[in-house]
Amino acid sequence: MKNEARHLHLHLISDATGETLLTVGRAASAQYPGVEVIEHMHSMVRAPKQIERLVAEIGQEPGIVLFTLVDRSMATMLEQGCRDIGVPCFSVLDPVLQVFQSYLGAPSQGRVGAQHSLDGDYFRRIEALTFTMMHDDGQLPEDLDLAEIVIIGVSRTSKTPTSIYLANRGVRTANIPIVPGIGLPVELESATRPLIVALVATPDRIVQMRENRVLSNSSFGEDDPYVDRAAVANEIAATRKICARNGWPVIDVTRRSIEETAAAILALRSKQGTTGKLGKDVAGRDEPAR
């Protein structure tokens, strides 16, 4: 590795919230697991004096600079400042905007923070988040037919974080736990609007996650069936039977990230939208774990 560096200062400079940069920066950083990445987020940078101050800060902790600055004069000022102190500086949006400009035959409008405008999509995401938080962990089952997606599964299958991720995409999502000895809400089987999908994982994976939870919760005993592998295997088998009976698809999340699980669910929802309810042939097969 160049200079045998084991850490990297990553400066993220944005004229808006910096969410785009954070996503890109972390996606790139993930390809270098042996490097400790120290993130420096500089958001809402909209004045030349801020650029001057930032260049001085970068000089104190040099590294890689990624930016999204719509104002060309400020971008040029940042690029020149980085050249002067000898650090790499790269505009994340410029290559993409150039492709758009070439294809559409027109330059971009240079609107700062345009992706965060208070348009219909923004309010749809807020509404979806509100719905999802109100319908987390089996709450308000009488509203299930208002959901677009309902996620079911045993404890520790990432139902809540997946639901929140989908809500951030503007999809109203409810989730319901499958608990031994407790039946699912009657409203679930009568729901006609939402895609109902189950999340499962291997018994070993679920036991591992539950044991981590038990360590921080003294209400569980060492012989609690909650962390018994055989009991967990039975829970998973019961989940599969429920889904096979109702024609609900099953996704194995053992080796999936939240984003990958959400993408698989949205793919199923797209298929449901074009072909009607998913058939038993889909429910009978797990999505392959990746």
Side-chain angles (χ1 to χ4, degrees):
M1 185 178 297
K2 187 177 180 180
N3 298 329
E4 297 299 320
R6 305 309 301 173
H7 68 272
L8 165 70
H9 289 282
L10 181 62
H11 295 271
L12 307 171
I13 302 174
S14 171
D15 50 21
T17 64
E19 292 176 12
T20 301
L21 281 172
L22 199 58
T23 300
V24 172
R26 288 181 176 175
S29 301
Q31 303 302 313
Y32 298 89
V35 178
E36 178 189 0
V37 177
I38 304 169
E39 296 173 351
H40 302 268
M41 173 57 73
H42 311 282
S43 58
M44 308 304 291
V45 177
R46 299 180 179 179
K49 287 187 177 180
Q50 289 176 286
I51 297 294
E52 294 175 3
R53 175 176 55 79
L54 287 175
V55 170
E57 290 183 13
I58 294 167
Q60 294 296 317
E61 295 178 307
I64 295 175
V65 177
L66 301 180
F67 70 89
T68 52
L69 297 174
V70 172
D71 187 309
R72 189 61 248 173
S73 63
M74 289 185 58
T76 300
M77 183 178 178
L78 175 63
E79 290 169 335
Q80 182 60 54
C82 288
R83 278 196 295 271
D84 291 343
I85 60 176
V87 300
C89 181
F90 182 77
S91 169
V92 169
L93 287 180
D94 273 0
V96 180
L97 290 175
Q98 288 170 10
V99 173
F100 271 67
Q101 179 173 332
S102 175
Y103 188 83
L104 297 174
S108 66
Q109 295 183 6
R111 294 166 54 208
V112 174
Q115 72 271 35
H116 303 295
S117 60
L118 301 183
D119 56 11
D121 285 342
Y122 172 84
F123 289 107
R124 181 165 54 87
R125 290 195 299 272
I126 296 300
E127 190 274 335
L129 277 168
T130 301
F131 180 92
T132 296
M133 297 308 296
M134 291 178 63
H135 297 82
D136 181 46
D137 203 31
Q139 298 181 81
L140 301 177
E142 62 272 18
D143 293 343
L144 286 178
D145 216 26
L146 299 177
E148 295 171 274
I149 291 172
V150 177
I151 298 174
I152 64 174
V154 302
S155 174
R156 304 290 99 179
T157 49
S158 302
K159 298 183 298 299
T160 293
T162 303
S163 297
I164 293 174
Y165 184 91
L166 288 167
N168 271 299
R169 298 283 297 273
V171 182
R172 291 192 304 278
T173 309
N175 73 81
I176 299 173
I178 296 178
V179 181
I182 300 178
L184 290 169
V186 295
E187 294 88 352
L188 187 62
E189 292 193 15
S190 62
T192 58
R193 185 173 187 269
L195 165 69
I196 301 170
V197 58
L199 304 184
V200 299
T202 63
D204 289 339
R205 175 60 174 163
I206 293 177
V207 168
Q208 179 187 35
M209 297 185 70
R210 290 184 180 183
E211 285 177 340
N212 291 335
R213 183 185 182 191
V214 167
L215 288 174
S216 60
N217 193 330
S218 59
S219 64
F220 293 99
E222 292 185 2
D223 58 348
D224 196 300
Y226 184 72
V227 291
D228 179 77
R229 190 187 184 285
V232 171
N234 288 335
E235 290 181 47
I236 298 169
T239 299
R240 293 182 183 278
K241 288 180 182 178
I242 291 170
C243 293
R245 184 172 66 246
N246 290 281
W248 297 334
V250 177
I251 296 176
D252 189 322
V253 301
T254 304
R255 294 185 295 276
R256 290 182 189 266
S257 66
I258 299 300
E259 295 84 354
E260 289 170 330
T261 301
I265 292 173
L266 290 174
L268 288 172
R269 180 168 175 253
S270 176
K271 183 174 182 179
Q272 179 193 42
T274 57
T275 64
K277 262 201 157 184
L278 291 168
K280 289 186 178 180
D281 59 321
V282 177
R285 298 194 306 270
D286 286 347
E287 288 286 316
R290 289 191 287 266

